[in-house]
Amino acid sequence: MTQPLMILVRPQMGENIGAAARAMLNFGLEGLRIVAPRDGWPNPKAVAMASGAGRLLDRAGLFADLPGALADCHYVFATTARPRELTKPVVTPEEAMAQTRALIAAGKKVAILFGPERTGLENDEVAQANAIITVPVNPEFPSLNLAQCALLTAYEWRRQTDGAIPVPEIDLATSVERQHLGDHYEDVLDRAGFFFPETKAANMKRNLRSMWARLPLTRADVQMLHGMLRQVIRRQG
């Protein structure tokens, strides 16, 4: 197992199961287990809401109780927004997924528990976990939808696994090229009488140079700006 298992405990609505599966697959997670779903299994409403992630539902493990779903797991996180009278490590999704990566690399099977929509996990269920995942939500409205909670966790797993989103290489202009662009504009604007009055000219030129330096100009941008100015001068001449 090279990724964590997502375990939905006593989920109530098929739509939420399907939405959770969709959120999982969005970020590459495919290990799904379902414990005692209220409306039975399989659930056509879950399939409809999964929208392309139906294969997760087809492969999902169905369990009558939580101990059965956790029998082969080495480490378990329980997601909850409510304070618990349990002495357990409390971590953010970011911290939890960092630990999960290390545990999986060591050959361990990791599970993440998500409770039913109306009440969340019960204390007896949280007690079976090694640690608690809590999201820093608005304390006046802490309740997260099942799929939202699954998405937050899955996103953090993907972010840490794949690293930052690749940024396309950009051919930025060099300092010298920006300097030449500044010289060009300064010369034309000076001849046009833009730097007026003379007492403010130095500060105006400094601000213009600062603007060129601040902009993330590419070489193509610089060439276009030179060309625009040349065309304006040509048309005026």
Side-chain angles (χ1 to χ4, degrees):
M1 174 63 70
T2 58
Q3 55 181 233
L5 287 166
M6 307 284 261
I7 300 180
L8 311 185
V9 182
R10 296 178 289 109
Q12 296 172 292
M13 299 178 63
E15 293 90 341
N16 288 333
I17 298 173
R22 182 175 180 178
M24 288 173 59
L25 193 56
N26 281 151
F27 297 102
L29 291 178
E30 299 195 27
L32 176 63
R33 293 182 178 180
I34 303 172
V35 177
R38 184 190 66 182
D39 296 335
W41 195 256
N43 188 313
K45 292 182 178 179
V47 176
M49 184 59 75
S51 186
R55 71 172 186 265
L56 270 67
L57 304 179
D58 294 338
R59 301 171 187 167
L62 180 63
F63 295 84
D65 55 35
L66 184 56
L70 295 177
D72 60 345
C73 298
H74 300 97
Y75 200 92
V76 180
F77 291 98
T79 60
T80 177
R82 294 186 288 114
R84 306 286 183 155
E85 297 177 359
L86 298 167
T87 304
K88 290 183 183 294
V90 179
V91 296
T92 64
E94 180 181 13
E95 294 166 332
M97 291 304 97
Q99 293 178 29
T100 297
R101 289 177 62 208
L103 287 163
I104 289 176
K108 307 302 180 184
K109 183 174 286 189
V110 180
I112 305 163
L113 305 182
F114 301 87
E117 298 89 320
R118 188 175 64 84
T119 60
L121 294 166
E122 295 181 353
N123 283 346
D124 288 345
E125 293 163 340
V126 176
Q128 297 178 59
N130 300 91
I132 291 172
I133 297 176
T134 295
V135 179
V137 293
N138 177 3
E140 296 180 3
F141 191 61
S143 178
L144 286 175
N145 175 275
L146 174 59
Q148 291 174 325
C149 194
L151 186 142
L152 282 171
T153 309
Y155 162 77
E156 192 57 50
W157 166 261
R158 183 75 175 196
R159 185 185 70 83
Q160 294 190 31
T161 301
D162 285 1
I165 298 172
V167 177
E169 185 176 345
I170 299 174
D171 189 18
L172 290 174
T174 66
S175 178
V176 170
E177 288 167 333
R178 290 196 303 271
Q179 178 70 34
H180 289 165
L181 180 67
D183 291 343
H184 190 182
Y185 271 76
E186 187 175 305
D187 177 62
V188 172
L189 291 172
D190 204 5
R191 286 188 279 114
F194 176 76
F195 300 111
F196 179 85
E198 188 175 346
T199 54
K200 294 184 178 181
N203 192 51
M204 293 173 71
K205 291 178 181 180
R206 187 182 305 113
N207 289 340
L208 184 61
R209 296 284 178 169
S210 178
M211 183 190 74
W212 295 127
R214 189 168 63 247
L215 295 174
L217 297 170
T218 65
R219 286 182 167 176
D221 294 334
V222 168
Q223 292 171 3
M224 183 174 66
L225 288 166
H226 277 300
M228 291 164 59
L229 192 57
R230 292 191 191 101
Q231 185 64 20
V232 170
I233 295 171
R234 189 176 297 116
R235 295 287 291 182
Q236 288 179 339

